[in-house]
Amino acid sequence: MLVFWKENLVLLAVPKTGSTAIEGALAPRASMVLRDPPQLKHAPCYRYKRFLRPFFIQAGGQTPELMAIVRNPIDWLGSWYRYRTRDDLIGHENSTRDVSFDDFVLEYCKGNPAPYANVGSQNKFLRINDGELGVEHLFRYEATDIWRGYLEDRLGMEITLKQKNVSPQMPLALSPEVETRLRDKRAAEFEVWGMARHG
């Protein structure tokens, strides 16, 4: 999470949406960088609104606008899947080394998935109250030029991104049947991605 006090902006770090690379580029410019522990770095909207927003209001008398980046759900799950194939996770309950991508996604669709597929929800990250979107500025991860341009204008700087915390590369394909099930069971994930700016 990055706080830009003068610009009245907080950039929330949705996991697996390039947040580490963005932090690397913008941390020197930020008023505050919340990077540890992960529960703080990746604090979702509802946690921010409950704990951090009151603190910021009290400290400076202003309510920062919230920005976030959301990724196509299939690509987002692919990033999680590849990330959990790492050698250092072999033998760990979170490892996806011996699981197919289809089986990973099918497990993710369950109400109580196994640890290796328990990766959270972009939709839940971004919602507050009774389903209200918790951020004022939501961008699609895939539309890099759009969100980078917005940040460059808002912060008055040129942004150069360097890849960090990259998942291992491998070809992934979701079968049509599993994609249909994912879109049915996790429709809200596609809905919130559809709400994001991409042009």
Side-chain angles (χ1 to χ4, degrees), residues 34 65 72 74-75 87 113 117 119 131 146 151 153 179 184 196 199:
L34 305 176
E65 297 171 22
N72 175 290
I74 296 172
D75 294 338
D87 289 345
V119 295
I146 304 300
L151 282 170
D153 289 345
E179 180 175 342
D184 177 52

Side-chain angles (χ1 to χ4, degrees), residues 4-66:
F4 303 96
W5 191 258
K6 186 174 73 172
E7 292 79 12
N8 200 38
L9 183 70
V10 171
L11 176 55
L12 298 180
V14 180
K16 308 309 290 175
T17 61
S19 56
T20 303
I22 294 170
E23 178 188 305
L26 297 182
R29 177 68 172 70
S31 307
M32 186 182 301
V33 180
L34 305 176
R35 59 170 60 100
D36 282 315
Q39 294 88 338
L40 194 55
K41 174 182 177 177
H42 296 296
C45 281
Y46 68 86
R47 194 171 294 146
Y48 168 84
K49 298 267 180 168
R50 182 174 177 190
F51 297 108
L52 293 172
R53 184 173 67 172
F55 172 72
F56 290 151
I57 292 172
Q58 187 177 31
Q62 62 188 26
T63 304
E65 297 171 22
L66 292 185

